[in-house]
Amino acid sequence: MIRFHLCTISFRHHLVSLPELADWAKRNDFDGIELWAVHARHLDRQPALDGHWIERQGLRIPMVSDYLPLDGSEAEALRKTREACRLAKRWHANKVRTFAGPLGSDEVSPSQRQAMTRRLKTLTRCVADEGLSLMLETHPGTLADTVGSTLELLSDIDHPALGINFDVLHVWESGANPLVALKQLEPWVHHCHFKNIQQHSQLGVFAPANVYSPAGTREGMVPVLEGACDYRPILAELGAWQSEGIAMDVSLEWFGADSYRVLNSDLRQLRKVLAEQCPQPQAVAGFH
C-alpha cells in the first residue's frame, strides 16, 4: 500500500489549525499528515491533540520531521533526540526525520566525516532505544547528497533503526537516476518526499534560506507530475513494491502558493497514474 500524506510545513505561513488541516486532509482522501517538529512542539500546549485524536479523525502521523545536531555537545544532541522521540511517540509516529549534517560530502574532511558518522550512530541508537526509526533525508549540502555517500554512511553506521527518507527531486538534483537510486537504496527506504521543479536551473528555490522565508521566491515550483523530474518510473516501482506487499509512506511537499488546490490535484493525479500503472486484478466469476 502507498499511503499519501500532506506536510504541515507546507502550511508554515498559513493561519490554520491542525484540526482544520486534519479535516481538510480527510475530506480530500489523504492517509495522514507528516508533522514538522516545530509544529509538534507548539502543539504540546494542546494536550487534547495527540495520536489518539488524529486516529479518531481517520488519519495517521507517520513521521515527525526534525533537525538533529551532528556537532557540538553530544549531551545536548541526545537531549534533543529524546525530545524528538517523545514528540513522535505522542503522535504515534514510528519515524523521526533528520538531515545528515550541515555539509556536503565533498566539503568535509575524513576526520569531520568520521565524527559526524559517530554522532549519527549515537543518535540512531538513542532513537532505537525509544522503539523508533531514524530517517536520513537525501538532500544537498549533507552527507546524504549522493547515492554513493549515502550508501557509505548506511554501511558505516550499520544499524537496523536507520533508514532513508528518499527525496526524489534531490536525488535527481545530484545527477543520479532516481529509479536506479531507489533500487540501490531499497532496503533502507521507508519514506519518500515528492515535489518538482520546472527546470533544473531553478532548483536553488528549494535552498532552506529561501524556501523557509515568507519573502522567498517560489518561481519554478510546479505540481509533481508537471516538472522536469519524471515521477512515473518511481510510481511504477513503488506500485511493484505494493504488489509485493511492501507499504510505503509518501509525503507531498508543496512550498508554493495555492496549497490546498495543488495538493488536492497532485494527490488525485498520483492516484490516477498508480491505478493505470498497477491495475487491481479483476475478480473471476465463482471465485472470491
Side-chain angles (χ1 to χ4, degrees):
M1 171 189 289
I2 299 175
R3 297 173 294 218
F4 287 100
H5 310 83
L6 59 81
C7 301
T8 64
I9 196 173
S10 295
F11 298 85
R12 68 210 174 283
H13 302 310
H14 295 61
L15 188 61
V16 59
S17 69
L18 185 63
E20 290 173 306
L21 203 53
D23 177 67
W24 184 86
K26 182 61 179 175
R27 286 188 288 106
N28 287 273
D29 297 324
F30 279 89
D31 297 298
I33 297 173
E34 179 183 324
L35 188 58
W36 197 25
V38 174
H39 293 150
R41 283 189 280 273
H42 284 289
L43 287 165
D44 261 355
R45 303 169 189 168
Q46 301 183 58
L49 302 181
D50 60 9
H52 295 293
W53 172 82
I54 199 76
E55 287 160 5
R56 288 196 296 272
Q57 316 312 307
L59 298 168
R60 59 195 291 272
I61 305 288
M63 186 163 75
V64 170
S65 293
D66 209 348
Y67 313 89
L68 304 177
L70 297 193
D71 54 8
S73 163
E74 182 174 293
E76 179 64 7
L78 285 168
R79 185 193 68 78
K80 289 182 176 180
T81 301
R82 293 189 186 102
E83 171 66 4
C85 290
R86 181 189 68 78
L87 293 171
K89 290 198 284 188
R90 176 188 169 183
W91 290 97
H92 300 176
N94 61 359
K95 292 171 287 192
V96 173
R97 190 286 316 263
T98 193
F99 290 110
L103 296 170
S105 59
D106 63 351
E107 299 176 286
V108 296
S109 66
S111 61
Q112 284 177 307
R113 183 177 183 111
Q114 189 176 46
M116 292 166 71
T117 301
R118 277 198 306 268
R119 173 63 62 83
L120 267 174
K121 183 177 288 190
T122 298
L123 300 189
T124 300
R125 288 170 175 166
C126 178
V127 172
D129 287 344
E130 298 291 337
L132 305 173
S133 296
L134 184 63
M135 299 293 110
L136 297 180
E137 182 162 327
T138 53
H139 201 280
T142 74
L143 293 184
D145 58 357
T146 68
V147 176
S149 181
T150 303
L151 286 168
E152 182 181 345
L153 199 56
L154 291 164
S155 175
D156 288 345
I157 296 172
D158 190 24
H159 197 292
L162 186 66
I164 292 297
N165 175 39
F166 190 87
D167 189 303
V168 179
L169 187 70
H170 290 317
V171 170
W172 178 77
E173 179 178 0
S174 77
N177 179 313
L179 179 59
V180 173
L182 182 62
K183 291 178 178 180
Q184 289 175 289
L185 292 166
E186 177 180 353
W188 299 277
V189 175
H190 301 294
H191 205 106
C192 292
H193 274 177
F194 283 12
K195 57 179 175 283
N196 217 330
I197 195 76
Q198 194 169 35
Q199 299 176 46
H200 192 281
S201 60
Q202 296 170 308
L203 281 164
V205 75
F206 291 114
N210 177 74
V211 84
Y212 294 142
S213 170
T217 179
R218 307 295 180 244
E219 188 175 352
M221 295 180 181
V222 293
V224 171
L225 295 176
E226 295 178 18
C229 178
D230 185 4
Y231 273 79
R232 285 168 177 79
I234 295 293
L235 287 169
E237 180 67 13
L238 294 181
W241 292 11
Q242 178 176 258
S243 67
E244 296 170 7
I246 300 172
M248 182 55 57
D249 290 320
V250 172
S251 295
L252 307 184
E253 277 196 311
W254 176 251
F255 296 105
D258 298 325
S259 299
Y260 292 111
R261 179 186 62 79
V262 175
L263 288 168
N264 173 279
S265 175
D266 271 353
L267 179 63
R268 293 183 184 282
Q269 291 298 317
L270 288 164
R271 290 199 190 279
K272 181 174 182 288
V273 170
L274 271 171
E276 291 169 351
Q277 290 181 336
C278 310
Q280 297 298 309
Q282 298 295 314
V284 178
F287 293 88
H288 302 282

